[in-house]
Amino acid sequence: MSGDLIIPDAAQGVVLFAHGSGSGRLSPRNRYVAEVLNRAGLGTLLFDLLTPDEEADRSNVFDIGLLAERLLERTGRVREEVDLPIGYFGASTGAAAALWAAAEPGNPVAAIVSRGGRPDLAGRRLAAVRAPTLLVVGGRDPVVVKLNEDAQRRLRAENKITIVPGATHLFEEPGALESVAEHARDWFATHFTGPGTHG
C-alpha cells in the first residue's frame, strides 16, 4: 500500500494519518492538515489502510480491527526508520482505528487527534488508550458530537473535545478546516515535547 512520508529537519515527531470511509492518502482535507503540521516541524505519513479492491467491499471500511492492524503494521515500519514520538490523526472510522491501535500493549503513542471521527466504534478499547486524545467535531454535526461525547466518557487518558462552531461533518465551511489543522498542530506539538514521548 502506497504512502507519502515527510520528515522535516529537526522534526518533533511523526503523525500517521488513518483515513475514514471513502477517503485515502490523497484526501485534500487530510493533505491540507498534513501540510500545516509539516510547516510546524512535524513529520507526517499519509497512506491507504485498504487496497482499492478491499475498499470496494464496504464491510472492510467498518472493520475497525482490520484497519487498526494495518495502522499498527505501518507504525512498526515508521519506528524502524525514525526515533521520534508517534501520533495518530484519524478521520471518521479512521479515528476508531487510531484509538484501537493506540490501546494495543507495547504501542506507545504520544498523542491522538480525531477529526469528525467515530471514536465510539473503538468500543471497549477506549478505556485502554493511554495517549492524550483530542476529539474535534463540527458544531453542526450533532449526531457525531453526541457519539464523541459518549466515547469521551469511556476514555481514561487525558482528553478534550473541541467543537468547531458552524462546521458540518466534512469541515467544508470557510475557516473550518484551518481551525482543525491549528488545533491538531497545537495538540501534537504540546504532547510530542512532553516527558516520556519516546515511549
Side-chain angles (χ1 to χ4, degrees), residues 75-98:
T75 302
R77 293 186 198 175
V78 172
R79 290 195 193 282
E80 292 173 1
E81 296 290 328
V82 296
D83 180 25
L84 290 168
I86 286 181
Y88 291 153
F89 183 96
S92 191
T93 54

Side-chain angles (χ1 to χ4, degrees), residues 6 17 28-42 44 46:
I6 296 176
F17 281 67
R29 289 179 293 276
N30 283 344
R31 294 190 81 84
Y32 171 79
V33 174
E35 290 170 5
V36 171
L37 299 184
N38 292 155
R39 290 198 297 269
L42 304 176
T44 54
L46 290 92

